[in-house]
Amino acid sequence: MTDDPATRRALKLFVVLSRAQSAIAAHAARDVARHGLSLVEFGALEALYHKGPMLVGELQRRILISSGGITFLVDRLARRGLVERREYADDRRARLIALTPAGTRLLAEIFPEHAAVIRRAAAGVSPAVQRELIDHLRALGVAAEHRGQREPTSPT
Amino acid sequence: MTDDPATRRALKLFVVLSRAQSAIAAHAARDVARHGLSLVEFGALEALYHKGPMLVGELQRRILISSGGITFLVDRLARRGLVERREYADDRRARLIALTPAGTRLLAEIFPEHAAVIRRAAAGVSPAVQRELIDHLRALGVAAEHRGQREPTSPT
DNA sequence: TAAGATTGAACTGTCAATCTTC
DNA sequence: GAAGATTGACAGTTCAATCTTA
């Protein structure tokens, strides 16, 4: 595979990181599916529920989806009466997305149980280990993101 | 959001876990895209490169894709001449998937640089922290997977 | 000219049904 | 009847092009 121990370690880390993420995501997805929602749909609703109305682009960056994807997603949620588009006076190109009363009610109903599902899925490791994981994963994520800031243009 | 500290911690853990995974995956995807491959395509080729030929179902479980998805993926890779389907004498329902010489050459060419990309993406945390992360994420992932074994039937 | 959002085409993945072999 | 693989219909995403406003 590779001889260099640092490289082997990094590859292993990426594998276990991906597996753990997908194992917990599977629990989360199964839970929200009971209410006819995908994980991405739930993520958008949850962001609006906890942060309040936000611009389409803000929501897009928060849930890591393409610009075309966010438009289609908001369409879907709007068609189901869970969110609505509002005009944004400060910049008439932009639109504000907000939960409708029905959307707010739905989230108030399903969020607590969803949070409990995540809590149980993570309960395999102790609180102390969870705290360590949070710190270290945050550092790992931030560093990896910053390394991506510079585009893959060849240095002239 | 939630008052219970254990629940808050688990939600936070899931968020940083997802962000770290996707930050590293973004580097990996950008790297293999230079060769016209998606991350899933690369994952399948890499499995075959390091483990040798395997049954369709084995490959499917290894890269976490649906049964329809694996057939479509193998079709794509076969059309590009990177893998081939072989008959499997022990069970004539099954098929063995193997890299072609061209597929093997491609992986020999791109794997080292890909591994280096992952190594650099993970370099934001020290080797000691990486080792801890590997152990704890493995425990977290295994526990979360096992909890999924029993279906969501209510306890009687 | 650029930035925010949307559109339409193309692609990738899932799901349920099916075919073959066990 | 069950298991391995495939198929076809469909849902969800991305990408490039476009429209509107800054």
Side-chain angles (χ1 to χ4, degrees):
Chain A
M1 188 194 265
T2 301
D3 290 338
D4 175 31
T7 304
R8 295 179 69 94
R9 199 192 308 122
L11 289 170
K12 189 67 198 169
L13 174 54
F14 185 41
V15 168
V16 297
L17 176 61
S18 298
R19 295 228 169 242
Q21 199 280 332
S22 113
I24 297 183
H27 284 278
R30 213 177 306 131
D31 176 59
V32 298
R34 295 184 302 126
H35 307 281
L37 294 173
S38 74
L39 214 42
V40 176
E41 289 169 334
F42 178 83
L45 295 173
E46 195 267 346
L48 296 169
Y49 184 63
H50 285 119
K51 305 287 175 185
M54 64 182 80
L55 299 181
V56 172
E58 258 177 286
L59 190 56
Q60 176 198 340
R61 283 184 295 278
R62 192 174 287 271
I63 65 176
L64 303 176
I65 196 175
S66 69
S67 67
I70 190 65
T71 294
F72 186 62
L73 175 60
V74 169
D75 280 349
R76 248 153 54 212
L77 296 174
R79 211 178 309 126
R80 292 172 59 176
L82 299 174
V83 307
E84 62 181 13
R85 288 179 167 91
R86 295 185 189 156
E87 300 190 347
Y88 181 58
D90 290 10
D91 183 341
R92 286 173 28 231
R93 293 171 300 182
R95 276 151 197 70
L96 219 40
I97 309 300
L99 286 182
T100 60
T104 304
R105 270 199 308 278
L106 178 64
L107 256 82
E109 183 199 333
I110 72 181
F111 183 78
E113 171 57 16
H114 182 75
V117 166
I118 303 289
R119 178 172 52 66
R120 288 194 292 271
V125 299
S126 72
V129 167
Q130 288 183 24
R131 276 189 287 269
E132 245 187 43
L133 278 173
I134 290 172
D135 289 347
H136 294 160
L137 287 172
R138 186 182 283 129
L140 179 64
V142 167
E145 258 168 30
H146 285 178
R147 269 155 219 274
Q149 290 307 68
R150 63 175 184 298
E151 286 298 306
T153 47
S154 54
T156 43
Chain B
M1 189 195 262
T2 300
D3 290 336
D4 176 30
T7 304
R8 294 179 70 94
R9 200 192 306 122
L11 288 170
K12 188 69 198 168
L13 174 54
F14 186 41
V15 169
V16 298
L17 176 61
S18 297
R19 296 229 169 242
Q21 198 280 331
S22 113
I24 298 182
H27 285 278
R30 213 178 305 132
D31 176 60
V32 298
R34 296 185 299 124
H35 308 280
L37 294 174
S38 73
L39 214 42
V40 176
E41 289 168 337
F42 178 82
L45 295 173
E46 196 266 346
L48 296 168
Y49 183 63
H50 285 119
K51 305 288 177 184
M54 65 182 80
L55 298 182
V56 172
E58 257 177 288
L59 190 55
Q60 176 199 341
R61 282 183 295 278
R62 189 174 291 270
I63 65 177
L64 303 176
I65 196 176
S66 69
S67 65
I70 189 66
T71 295
F72 184 57
L73 175 60
V74 170
D75 280 349
R76 249 152 55 212
L77 296 174
R79 211 179 308 126
R80 293 171 57 176
L82 300 174
V83 307
E84 63 181 12
R85 288 180 168 90
R86 295 186 190 155
E87 299 189 351
Y88 182 60
D90 290 10
D91 182 342
R92 284 171 30 230
R93 294 171 301 182
R95 278 151 196 70
L96 220 40
I97 310 300
L99 286 182
T100 61
T104 304
R105 269 199 307 278
L106 177 65
L107 256 82
E109 182 200 333
I110 71 180
F111 183 79
E113 170 58 15
H114 183 76
V117 166
I118 303 289
R119 178 171 52 65
R120 287 194 293 271
V125 298
S126 71
V129 167
Q130 287 183 24
R131 276 189 287 269
E132 243 187 45
L133 279 172
I134 290 172
D135 289 348
H136 294 159
L137 287 173
R138 186 181 283 131
L140 179 63
V142 168
E145 259 167 30
H146 285 359
R147 268 154 218 275
Q149 292 306 72
R150 63 172 184 302
E151 287 298 306
T153 47
S154 53
T156 44

